[in-house]
Amino acid sequence: MIEGFASPGKIIAVHLNYPSRMTQRGRTPSQPSYFFKPSSSLAATGSSIELPADTELLAFEGEIALIVGTPARRVSPEDGWSHVTQVTAANDFGLYDLRAVDKGSNVRSKGGDGFTPIGPRLIPTAGIAEDAWRVRTWVNGTLVQQDTSDTLAFTFGRLIADLSQLMTLETGDVILTGTPAGSSVVLPGDTVEVEVDAPKAPGNPTTGKLITTITQGNIPFGEYGATPRVDDLQRIEAWGSEQEHAAAVNAGRATPLATATTPVTTPTPAAATATAQAQALGPGSGSGSRSSQAPATAPVLTDTIRAQLSGVAVATVSAALRKRGYINIFIDGVHPNHEHAKILGTAKTLRFIPFRPDLFAQHGGGFNAQKRAFDTVAEGEVLVIEARGIPETGTVGDVLALRAQVRGAAGIVTDGGVRDFAAVREFDIPVFSQGPHPSVLGRKHVPWETDVTIACGGAAVQPGDIIMGDRDGVIVIPPPLLAEVAADAVRQEHEDAWIAEQVAAGASVDGLFPMNSAWRAQYEADQA
């Protein structure tokens, strides 16, 4: 981990210490308070940390870490610093989704594997005062935290003295001394760097940058323990403030508040940083946020209409649309992964553009538009992907399909190919595509934007359109037409079933299909 550094007996962290953080939190403690972190949470520079499945609020906290050199028991604040022989950088990661179940202990919210990166180098404290240190944090190359130890509410010596009143601080123990303002949420694909130095000391000694990358986990929490839970307060505290959260929502990096009604118009500098970071993920990142914050309206696809369409074929509905002048409503060329698969839901859209190396370098990695689409698709939605009708590359694989299934998506439609086709076919979620292809992202496409009007299989699809599919194919139903088209299709299904009975009984189709006036009169009499 760090050359010459043994695993500590204790890792003790301070809740609040920097005045800038206290101002951000809105509380100023008169005395320090602490929590423990397990040694199994330690990690070296260059390691990765996993955002667990079904969580959203993993936050970084750049900190100065003290390494106890000589044991301390009941020492004074004036003598405390002398027991610290080395300093290094640390990142006190925390998962706000689990804070409520920890009741302040932070056992699970801050104790996960890799949640305490430390290093990469140790700085001897000899000749350097306790108020001469600086901590800085960068996210994706942007400076987001910077403060110095001369601003601390509780000095390093005071922390050592306070803790030593109750316990012996032993050689190698680590004390995390708190984080300044600027702590916020990071997403899969982000890189966090923390550096501690003594800029005014001879030689400007530095730890070097402690580097951690964020990855996406895919194993959900079991029901045998408390599961992640998030509310608006947790979101605001994790992002740093309501303004910074609003900026992240506008940039497509955060989930909107459940109670949000008025957008924030004066984001803080940190909010501007969050926006700048998110904009680097792709041009369409904000579209989904605007859509998700739209005023709630009554659902068009009601339970009654669902029941009507459950017994109707796509071919019948397409005929009802044709009567009304809608002929280009077919998503052509796609076939289901299950022989008897059906889909019915509202559209959520994802758009790919043609591959270009510079654009893919900017927008293909990290928490890109493709991952955001699959990570935010809602229950009952059909994720519709514009892949320009190119079957020679995959647009969805087993992990993303599974993510959509876990989130309750009604289905996936892509006019491109599917990777891991055999595995995807084993999932319950219906997937309509042009068939299998082993290529990974980056051969033909750049993931570009979500929640915009797209063209899929020759059909225009807007977010909120109704998507219906069966073995015959997939169609797009404009929401304003849904009720009348559904009722018309049900009537047509009844007629077709009656006509089939007559044909089975030996009747000729001449004049029967479609019905002339004589057959129509007989049909209406039978129905009466």
Side-chain angles (χ1 to χ4, degrees):
M1 188 171 301
I2 305 176
E3 187 175 351
F5 177 71
S7 181
K10 296 186 285 293
I11 305 172
I12 305 171
V14 178
H15 282 110
L16 287 173
N17 201 353
Y18 286 87
S20 62
R21 182 67 162 169
M22 294 176 184
T23 299
Q24 188 180 37
R25 281 288 195 243
R27 54 184 184 271
T28 305
S30 59
Q31 302 293 344
S33 60
Y34 314 88
F35 58 95
F36 282 103
K37 300 196 75 173
S39 58
S40 56
S41 70
L42 291 173
T45 187
S47 62
S48 62
I49 180 174
E50 177 182 284
L51 174 67
D54 299 323
T55 64
E56 65 175 270
L57 301 177
L58 177 65
F60 64 86
E61 295 183 2
E63 304 200 13
I64 299 171
L66 312 180
I67 312 298
V68 176
T70 58
R73 177 70 166 124
R74 295 197 177 100
V75 302
S76 67
E78 294 74 23
D79 188 45
W81 176 240
S82 67
H83 291 266
V84 178
T85 56
Q86 294 170 313
V87 163
T88 193
N91 199 334
D92 181 18
F93 279 103
L95 192 62
Y96 280 68
D97 309 65
L98 295 176
R99 283 212 313 179
V101 302
D102 272 342
K103 305 298 183 185
S105 71
N106 291 333
V107 170
R108 297 208 305 166
S109 62
K110 284 180 171 278
D113 286 351
F115 275 39
T116 316
I118 192 168
R121 293 190 292 273
L122 302 172
I123 304 175
T125 59
I128 306 175
E130 62 183 311
D131 62 355
W133 301 90
R134 176 175 64 175
V135 60
R136 291 177 293 174
T137 306
W138 296 261
V139 175
N140 299 331
T142 299
L143 182 66
V144 293
Q145 284 187 298
Q146 180 171 234
D147 216 330
T148 53
S149 60
D150 60 350
T151 70
L152 291 175
F154 314 115
T155 66
F156 296 154
R158 180 173 174 178
L159 298 177
I160 299 296
D162 183 29
L163 290 166
S164 73
Q165 294 184 91
L166 295 169
M167 67 186 78
T168 299
L169 297 178
E170 300 167 312
T171 301
D173 285 350
V174 174
I175 314 295
L176 306 184
T177 56
T179 196
S183 165
S184 190
V185 174
V186 282
L187 304 176
D190 288 345
T191 299
V192 187
E193 300 167 295
V194 181
E195 181 180 15
V196 169
D197 65 356
K200 295 182 181 180
N204 185 17
T206 175
T207 62
K209 287 187 176 180
L210 172 66
I211 302 171
T212 308
T213 57
I214 316 303
T215 63
Q216 177 64 59
N218 55 22
I219 300 176
F221 284 85
E223 296 297 330
Y224 38 82
T227 52
R229 180 160 54 90
V230 174
D231 57 24
D232 286 352
L233 176 61
Q234 303 289 6
R235 290 190 175 101
I236 292 170
E237 289 209 343
W239 283 98
S241 71
E242 190 167 0
Q243 291 90 345
E244 283 139 6
H245 173 267
V249 169
N250 290 336
R253 282 175 64 87
T255 301
L257 301 181
T259 57
T261 56
T262 305
V264 178
T265 57
T266 54
T268 64
T273 298
T275 302
Q277 293 169 2
Q279 287 173 341
L281 292 175
S285 60
S287 302
S289 303
R290 290 190 294 273
S291 174
S292 61
Q293 286 183 299
T297 58
V300 174
L301 186 56
T302 63
D303 290 342
T304 298
I305 293 178
R306 283 185 178 275
Q308 288 177 317
L309 294 179
S310 65
V312 175
V314 164
T316 306
V317 178
S318 70
L321 286 167
R322 184 180 180 86
K323 292 177 186 176
R324 292 160 175 81
Y326 288 81
I327 56 176
N328 292 324
I329 43 80
F330 300 95
I331 297 180
D332 290 327
V334 299
H335 308 283
N337 58 338
H338 304 143
E339 179 61 30
H340 302 291
K342 293 183 177 182
I343 54 171
L344 180 63
T346 56
K348 178 181 178 66
T349 60
L350 166 64
R351 178 175 172 242
F352 289 100
I353 66 169
F355 178 80
R356 209 174 84 181
D358 58 330
L359 296 179
F360 189 81
Q362 296 174 37
H363 308 300
F367 198 50
N368 58 37
Q370 180 194 38
K371 292 179 181 176
R372 292 198 302 277
F374 280 90
D375 215 41
T376 58
V377 63
E379 183 175 358
E381 288 185 328
V382 176
L383 186 55
V384 185
I385 304 171
E386 176 186 337
R388 305 185 317 287
I390 298 174
E392 296 91 1
T393 186
T395 56
V396 57
D398 56 352
V399 172
L400 292 181
L402 180 60
R403 180 60 173 157
Q405 176 174 297
V406 168
R407 290 190 59 82
I412 301 168
V413 179
T414 173
D415 61 355
V418 172
R419 291 184 65 233
D420 313 307
F421 191 85
V424 172
R425 187 165 51 193
E426 295 300 314
F427 297 154
D428 293 332
I429 188 169
V431 179
F432 286 72
S433 72
Q434 291 214 58
H437 198 282
S439 174
V440 297
L441 184 66
R443 182 169 187 252
K444 296 282 188 178
H445 304 305
V446 178
W448 198 247
E449 56 189 340
T450 65
D451 301 296
V452 295
T453 300
I454 63 172
C456 183
V461 183
Q462 291 192 304
D465 281 348
I466 308 305
I467 306 300
M468 184 178 181
D470 61 17
R471 190 64 184 86
D472 281 353
V474 180
I475 60 173
V476 184
I477 308 172
L481 296 179
L482 179 63
E484 63 178 277
V485 165
D488 192 358
V490 169
R491 288 192 296 270
Q492 187 63 53
E493 282 284 341
H494 287 162
E495 290 187 11
D496 289 349
W498 185 85
I499 291 171
E501 290 176 0
Q502 311 315 308
V503 172
S508 168
V509 295
D510 184 27
L512 172 61
F513 186 64
M515 287 187 283
N516 57 24
S517 57
W519 276 112
R520 172 69 62 183
Q522 183 175 338
Y523 167 75
E524 291 177 352
D526 285 356
Q527 297 306 303

